[in-house]
């Protein structure tokens, strides 16, 4: 459950479904994933998702820290 203006924290990102959901719903999210293989696959998944977003509207700001 989250309401408008909330920020989300996910300390076990996994496949990053929570990130994609937050992008779709307009929430800010901080997420961590310690497994390098999961992180690499999830990063590709997020970038692929963002590339498929409509060209109108404000694009999400995504920062990856490695």
């Amino acid at each position: 459950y989250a309401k408008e203006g909330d920020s989300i924290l996910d300390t076990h990102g996994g496949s990053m479904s929570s990130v994609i959901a937050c992008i779709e719903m307009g929430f800010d999210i901080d997420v961590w994933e310690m497994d390098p293989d999961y992180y690499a696959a999830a990063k590709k998944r997020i970038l692929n998702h963002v590339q498929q977003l409509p060209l109108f509207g404000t694009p999400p700001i995504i920062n990856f820290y490695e």
Side-chain angles (χ1 to χ4, degrees):
Y1 172 80
K3 56 185 181 286
E4 188 174 336
D6 284 353
S7 293
I8 309 300
L9 172 64
D10 183 350
T11 59
H12 298 80
S15 65
M16 304 291 176
S17 295
S18 60
V19 174
I20 291 174
C22 285
I23 290 170
E24 290 295 318
M25 299 181 75
F27 288 105
D28 292 333
I29 184 169
D30 289 311
V31 62
W32 282 264
E33 177 52 58
M34 298 298 291
D35 184 287
D37 295 329
Y38 271 99
Y39 178 80
K43 183 177 177 181
K44 288 179 187 177
R45 182 178 183 210
I46 293 166
L47 292 173
N48 184 51
H49 180 77
V50 170
Q51 289 176 349
Q52 295 179 41
L53 292 174
L55 295 177
F56 54 89
T58 304
I61 297 171
I62 299 174
N63 296 308
F64 293 100
Y65 301 99
E66 300 179 36

